[in-house]
Amino acid sequence: MVTQAKTGFLKIKGSGKSGTKPQKNKNGNKPKKNLKPKKPERKEMYDGSFKKNPPVNCINGCIKGKFVLRAGRNESTDNKSFYLSVETAFKAFLSARFCAAVWSHISDCDETYNYWEPSHFLLFGKGFQTWEYSPTYALRSYTYILLHVVPAWIYSNLLQPNRMLIFYIIRCVLGLFCAFCETYFYKAVMKEFGMQVGKMVLIFMLFSPGMFISSTAFLPSSFSMYMCLLSTGAWIMRKYELAVFTVALSTFISWPFAALTGAPIAIDMLFIRKLHRKFFQWSVISSIIILVPLIKMDSELYGKFVIAPLNIVMYNLFTDHGPNLYGTEPICFYFLNGLLNFNIVFIAAILAPSFILLRNFVASRIKRKGEYFSHWIYLTPFYIWFIVFTFQPHKEERFLFPVYPLICLCGAVCIHSMQIMYSIIVSQIFGKNSKRLPGSQILGIFSCIVMICLSLSRIFALYTGEMRFKQVKVIKFAQLKLVVTFSAYHAPMDLYIELNKINAERGNEFDKTPVNVCVGKEWHRFPNSFFLPNNNWSLKFIKSEFKGQLPAEYSSSPNATTLIHSHFNDMNKEEPSRYFDINQCHFLIDCDYGREETPLEPNYSQQTDKWTPLVSIPFLNSEKSSVFFRAFYIPFMSDKYCTYAKYTLLKSTKFKFKE
């Protein structure tokens, strides 16, 4: 029995063999063979990847890091490019963050006294307390501190290390967590914005001085940056539950004002995607999961019912003085900060809306819908945050930390929009001959090279400055040695490390005698108590020209965090009880800037009858240095235009070492 197959060939039923004679159609003609398969319908995204029927090798190449063929409209499919896999990106981020953990200095005294010092107190029973931690005001949450103290406590009890190692371990843990969050964000950007934007975001985050500074800083704004990476990544990948939860974590645990980064997510869920139930459900769940333990722990440590996030909002918004007591800055402050920390990427981020509009206009004029950019909403958190904080009188560098990754994203989108416009315009003008002209990739490569060079120059300026020599008097042998050091702003941390060396060299000499290390005008550059050898060493404040309120030492009683002291105020008024008698100081740390001496700030290094210099490290004198060359390190040139002060450790002549 013979049947006709759908292909038009004769086939013997049950034989499994096809005939070779094709059957004619109704017109008596042989049917035409369909040699070319029909192309599947596809809808291109603005970056050339496909939303519908995406090429498997393209998607795998983005995510798994293989050599892939580009699918972009304006890019040759014969060229191959290498893209970092998620695993490789994580290793790159982790390497950069560990470098920051070791080399980045503490640039904000709030980090020292509001976070490192309470942590040292919870671990070792000694540290400084600021007025924000007084139960009278209770502006800071101990829960945020405990998140860092617990792993440090485990490490400390297991290995009994030097206290400085605990400091660096905490920083490395912060770097590890930051690298994880950055990798998640990078994966989301690659998936939604495409390979070109993802590649630039990766490079910008790896090398930017802003990410170098903020990634391992022990600050709530840094934690909010981690959460912004997670919430934005989850939002982009439509994981709304995680997006809502991480915004809530950022709001309640670290900084209440970080809720501003979640405003576009709420708008997207409520008004665009109509996910009302999911939004309110996860908002309630997140609030309960986070607030209940937070209130319980803070209330126990403060000795009364406390909602710290609410207290800080009330202080900043509903008091007569608020944060403006601590200084105000001009409206250009964050623009200059952005240029220093992100250079050309920040300029691109600011200009991104203009170039996106121009790109969409060009694409619509020539009816190239595949090049139309429709991801506006993912960029809005940066612009909302930047506008709000730019018009606040009180400005600090750390206030921009939460949106640092979004600066990288907006900058990358702007540069990619310029690439798209270049490709469209060139192809329209020159037609087929446009392939002979330089491609749009040159713009991206050039931008990355310029950004990397400026960023590394800035990072080197922050840490190294220039290679110099320091004189170290080795007390044990009473002789001078020349030791090579790198100096700029890292000198204070290097100098306090010398105290540990002195303690180690002198053996058990300081185990029974309290040692007082005094600071005057340099009180704000004290790294933290982790840099003091043990609890027998204490930092003391001597009177200087500073007229504000200094921190006080925590009480040694078991309930120290619950005690209400009368010597705290929220008006930044000077408190005389903080000052220590200079005659009781064993060591003094001071810096000679070459300024005119005052009775409260003399040049202690010149008082050789009272003080003996032990260690002197060059420290960048910003007042007498070139603005450009102190901001960016240029080999063989920075030395000519920068002036260095002497950051010195002095020993009291009354204090005699045992021979």
Side-chain angles (χ1 to χ4, degrees):
M1 182 178 179
V2 179
T3 59
Q4 182 178 345
K6 290 183 179 180
T7 57
F9 290 88
L10 292 176
K11 186 176 181 181
I12 300 175
K13 187 176 182 180
S15 65
K17 297 180 180 180
S18 300
T20 57
K21 185 177 179 181
Q23 190 178 25
K24 296 181 179 180
N25 55 24
K26 294 180 180 180
N27 299 327
N29 299 324
K30 294 180 180 180
K32 295 181 180 179
K33 294 182 180 179
N34 188 11
L35 299 177
K36 295 183 180 180
K38 187 178 180 180
K39 293 182 180 180
E41 294 181 3
R42 59 190 183 183
K43 184 178 180 181
E44 294 187 7
M45 291 172 60
Y46 78 96
D47 62 346
S49 59
F50 305 124
K51 282 186 177 178
K52 189 174 182 180
N53 298 322
V56 176
N57 64 334
C58 179
I59 297 299
N60 290 341
C62 295
I63 305 302
K64 296 184 179 179
K66 299 177 181 178
F67 282 96
V68 298
L69 292 176
R70 299 188 182 186
R73 182 191 297 269
N74 300 306
E75 298 170 296
S76 173
T77 56
D78 295 327
N79 295 329
K80 293 184 177 181
S81 294
F82 183 76
Y83 296 92
L84 287 179
S85 67
V86 171
E87 294 82 4
T88 307
F90 174 73
K91 294 174 185 177
F93 283 129
L94 189 61
S95 300
R97 301 312 159 224
F98 279 173
C99 289
V102 175
W103 292 330
S104 179
H105 69 286
I106 296 176
S107 58
D108 194 327
C109 63
D110 268 359
E111 181 180 355
T112 293
Y113 293 109
N114 275 328
Y115 304 103
W116 285 113
E117 285 302 299
S119 298
H120 190 273
F121 170 76
L122 293 176
L123 284 169
F124 301 108
K126 189 172 183 178
F128 283 98
Q129 180 183 18
T130 62
W131 69 271
E132 292 100 320
Y133 284 94
S134 170
T136 305
Y137 308 103
L139 299 188
R140 306 292 181 183
S141 172
Y142 277 105
T143 305
Y144 171 71
I145 302 291
L146 290 171
L147 291 176
H148 302 73
V149 167
V150 170
W153 180 85
I154 295 172
Y155 174 75
S156 175
N157 282 272
L158 286 177
L159 301 178
Q160 299 292 323
N162 180 289
R163 294 186 181 185
M164 274 196 305
L165 290 180
I166 299 175
F167 167 80
Y168 284 108
I169 283 294
I170 294 175
R171 274 194 157 194
C172 288
V173 171
L174 292 174
L176 174 65
F177 187 62
C178 182
F180 169 78
C181 297
E182 287 176 297
T183 305
Y184 185 79
F185 179 73
Y186 164 72
K187 181 179 178 180
V189 170
M190 289 286 285
K191 181 178 179 180
E192 186 71 16
F193 290 85
M195 294 177 286
Q196 293 296 329
V197 174
K199 182 171 58 177
M200 285 189 283
V201 167
L202 172 70
I203 293 172
F204 296 162
M205 289 198 299
L206 275 177
F207 291 98
S208 74
M211 295 299 294
F212 178 83
I213 295 169
S214 61
S215 59
T216 56
F218 190 177
L219 288 167
S221 49
S222 287
F223 185 83
S224 292
M225 183 187 75
Y226 307 155
M227 294 300 103
C228 182
L229 286 163
L230 292 179
S231 61
T232 306
W235 180 28
I236 290 173
M237 293 195 288
R238 313 293 191 270
K239 297 180 180 179
Y240 296 106
E241 298 87 350
L242 179 60
V244 173
F245 184 75
T246 48
V247 170
L249 271 176
S250 181
T251 302
F252 297 131
I253 296 292
S254 58
W255 200 17
F257 303 104
L260 199 59
T261 61
I265 300 176
I267 293 171
D268 184 34
M269 293 182 69
L270 292 174
F271 302 105
I272 299 176
R273 303 189 184 275
K274 309 297 183 182
L275 300 174
H276 305 93
R277 181 177 179 181
K278 181 175 288 187
F279 175 79
F280 289 111
Q281 179 183 2
W282 276 94
S283 296
V284 172
I285 291 173
S286 302
S287 299
I288 294 173
I289 291 175
I290 299 168
L291 277 178
V292 170
L294 180 140
I295 294 173
K296 179 176 175 56
M297 285 188 283
D298 285 344
S299 298
E300 287 184 0
L301 285 166
Y302 277 114
K304 67 175 187 178
F305 181 78
V306 167
I307 306 177
L310 178 62
N311 290 347
I312 196 168
V313 170
M314 298 295 291
Y315 171 78
N316 280 278
L317 300 182
F318 301 104
T319 57
D320 295 333
H321 46 278
N324 294 345
L325 282 173
Y326 301 92
T328 59
E329 300 292 342
I331 201 168
C332 63
F333 178 82
Y334 287 133
F335 289 93
L336 296 175
N337 176 264
L339 289 173
L340 284 174
N341 288 324
F342 292 93
N343 48 75
I344 63 170
V345 177
F346 179 75
I347 298 173
I350 295 296
L351 297 177
S354 302
F355 277 96
I356 292 171
L357 285 172
L358 187 59
R359 163 189 170 170
N360 288 349
F361 173 76
V362 172
S364 63
R365 292 285 293 179
I366 62 172
K367 299 180 180 179
R368 294 273 288 271
K369 295 182 179 179
E371 312 299 356
Y372 195 85
F373 183 79
S374 58
H375 298 75
W376 284 95
I377 195 166
Y378 298 125
L379 308 183
T380 53
F382 164 65
Y383 299 104
I384 294 173
W385 187 277
F386 189 78
I387 291 171
V388 169
F389 279 86
T390 295
F391 289 98
Q392 298 300 313
H394 179 61
K395 300 179 179 68
E396 296 192 38
E397 180 181 2
R398 68 178 187 271
F399 291 172
L400 282 191
F401 283 6
V403 293
Y404 272 1
L406 300 181
I407 294 176
C408 298
L409 176 60
C410 294
V413 168
C414 178
I415 294 171
H416 187 58
S417 296
M418 295 168 67
Q419 290 178 298
I420 293 292
M421 285 191 296
Y422 172 85
S423 298
I424 292 174
I425 294 171
V426 168
S427 63
Q428 290 295 310
I429 295 175
F430 297 98
K432 296 181 179 180
N433 294 326
S434 63
K435 295 182 179 179
R436 301 177 182 177
L437 299 174
S440 62
Q441 294 180 4
I442 294 178
L443 176 61
I445 294 172
F446 177 76
S447 300
C448 290
I449 291 174
V450 172
M451 184 270 177
I452 291 172
C453 291
L454 290 174
S455 296
L456 292 178
S457 176
R458 173 62 179 164
I459 291 171
F460 287 147
L462 289 174
Y463 180 74
T464 62
E466 62 164 322
M467 184 180 290
R468 285 182 168 251
F469 293 96
K470 67 178 180 181
Q471 283 191 329
V472 181
K473 185 174 182 180
V474 183
I475 302 165
K476 186 174 181 180
F477 302 103
Q479 62 183 9
L480 292 176
K481 286 187 178 181
L482 287 178
V483 182
V484 177
T485 184
F486 293 99
S487 59
Y489 298 105
H490 207 267
M493 294 180 72
D494 293 335
L495 198 67
Y496 280 93
I497 291 175
E498 294 296 328
L499 295 175
N500 288 268
K501 294 180 180 179
I502 292 173
N503 184 68
E505 290 171 355
R506 305 306 298 178
N508 300 324
E509 184 175 340
F510 305 121
D511 287 350
K512 296 181 180 180
T513 305
V515 180
N516 300 316
V517 181
C518 297
V519 289
K521 64 177 181 290
E522 293 300 307
W523 66 271
H524 59 288
R525 291 198 172 95
F526 171 58
N528 51 68
S529 294
F530 287 95
F531 282 76
L532 299 177
N534 51 55
N535 279 3
N536 210 38
W537 294 64
S538 302
L539 186 80
K540 302 294 184 181
F541 301 120
I542 59 174
K543 195 169 179 59
S544 66
E545 298 295 340
F546 176 72
K547 301 303 179 184
Q549 180 179 201
L550 291 169
E553 291 186 67
Y554 273 100
S555 170
S556 58
S557 63
N559 61 336
T561 58
T562 65
L563 298 179
I564 297 176
H565 300 284
S566 59
H567 53 242
F568 283 123
N569 67 83
D570 65 345
M571 297 296 293
N572 197 27
K573 293 181 179 179
E574 184 179 19
E575 177 54 51
S577 63
R578 303 288 198 274
Y579 299 122
F580 188 73
D581 182 8
I582 192 172
N583 295 316
Q584 302 298 318
C585 297
H586 298 89
F587 296 95
L588 175 66
I589 292 178
D590 192 45
C591 189
D592 180 12
Y593 294 102
R595 301 171 185 162
E596 184 178 351
E597 296 185 37
T598 67
L600 294 178
E601 293 183 0
N603 189 343
Y604 293 104
S605 298
Q606 301 298 323
Q607 298 178 355
T608 54
D609 58 326
K610 298 180 180 179
W611 302 100
T612 302
L614 298 180
V615 182
S616 183
I617 300 178
F619 182 71
L620 187 69
N621 189 341
S622 58
E623 297 175 358
K624 298 183 178 181
S625 299
S626 164
V627 173
F628 177 80
F629 286 101
R630 78 169 188 244
F632 297 96
Y633 174 65
I634 309 297
F636 309 111
M637 295 186 66
S638 293
D639 187 28
K640 298 178 182 179
Y641 298 96
C642 290
T643 303
Y644 289 82
K646 294 180 179 180
Y647 214 88
T648 308
L649 171 64
L650 304 109
K651 180 183 73 69
S652 173
T653 54
K654 298 178 181 179
F655 182 37
K656 304 295 183 182
F657 288 115
K658 295 179 181 178
E659 296 296 336

